[in-house]
Amino acid sequence: MHIVDGALSLPVLAGGAALALGGVAIGLKKMDYDHLPQVGVLSAAFFIASYIHLPLGFSSVHLILNGLIGLALGWAAFPALLVALILQAVFFGFGGFLVLGVNTFNIALPAVLVFYLCRGGIISASPKTAAIWGALGGASAIALTTIMVAASLAFSGDSFVLAAKATLIAHIPVMLVEGFVTGAAVLLIRQVKPEFLNISEEWDHD
């Protein structure tokens, strides 16, 4: 899901950088610094999950967990994912620095959208309902990220259209796996540490 340096046109790089900068600014403004350890843990989870690549045909895929990160952090997903992507670029050469803004925006915006679409479901009194909404959030985040990555490639020139189509096809299994993993994670976290998803605070208000 990381686009590498040299693959995108200058307008796409500039637009992605500007949008990512805006998202990070909003995320820092909205971040509850009492929950900073939670942000760090989820940033590390993304760092580790996306480090493990599984071969699939001519390419490879990996978990992202941006749905789970979005459900827990909302707008704070932007700075959390930016830090993880910077560390991946520094230590492992994933993606690159020129494309950092586009990669951050493509992964973090779906996380924020999932927060608004599915947050109400995961705080439901019914664990089954929460797990279903968690699964929908996990799968939807990957679907949206995949579409955005494909669009970034397609907008950079006709030569990347085939790669954009391949990206969409290759990540269909990842959508299903992420849905299952996120749904199971939401169910487990609700039982053992609901405050990690800020759920206990919502229940207290009710």
Side-chain angles (χ1 to χ4, degrees):
M1 201 65 76
H2 297 75
I3 301 176
V4 298
D5 279 343
L8 300 180
S9 65
L10 183 58
V12 173
L13 289 173
L19 291 169
L21 184 62
V24 170
I26 296 172
L28 290 174
K29 183 176 181 180
K30 289 180 173 288
M31 185 185 298
D32 182 350
Y33 287 92
D34 289 337
H35 294 151
L36 195 58
Q38 171 194 14
V39 176
V41 168
L42 288 168
S43 180
F46 168 83
F47 180 86
I48 297 300
S50 57
Y51 174 68
I52 303 171
H53 286 67
L54 302 175
L56 183 64
F58 58 84
S59 183
S60 64
V61 296
H62 57 79
L63 295 179
I64 299 179
L65 301 182
N66 58 333
L68 180 61
I69 293 171
L71 289 171
L73 301 181
W75 278 98
F78 265 92
L81 289 167
L82 173 62
V83 170
L85 286 167
I86 290 174
L87 292 177
Q88 286 183 342
V90 170
F91 291 109
F92 305 118
F94 292 171
F97 292 102
L98 292 177
V99 78
L100 188 60
V102 174
N103 282 335
T104 300
F105 183 72
N106 286 346
I107 297 173
L109 181 63
V112 174
L113 293 176
V114 162
F115 173 84
Y116 287 109
L117 293 173
C118 301
R119 175 71 185 177
I122 69 165
I123 65 174
S124 168
S126 167
K128 181 178 179 180
T129 298
I132 291 172
W133 278 100
L136 288 173
S140 297
I142 298 300
L144 291 170
T145 295
T146 303
I147 292 170
M148 291 174 66
V149 168
S152 299
L153 292 169
F155 288 151
S156 294
D158 294 339
S159 58
F160 293 104
V161 171
L162 181 59
K165 293 179 180 178
T167 298
L168 290 171
I169 296 172
H171 283 84
I172 291 175
V174 182
M175 297 175 201
L176 300 176
V177 174
E178 286 259 3
F180 174 80
V181 170
T182 305
V186 167
L187 190 61
L188 177 62
I189 294 171
R190 279 171 53 100
Q191 294 174 345
V192 300
K193 200 173 181 63
E195 63 272 17
F196 192 79
L197 292 174
N198 302 323
I199 293 176
S200 57
E201 298 174 8
E202 298 282 354
W203 287 341
D204 290 341
H205 291 160
D206 292 341

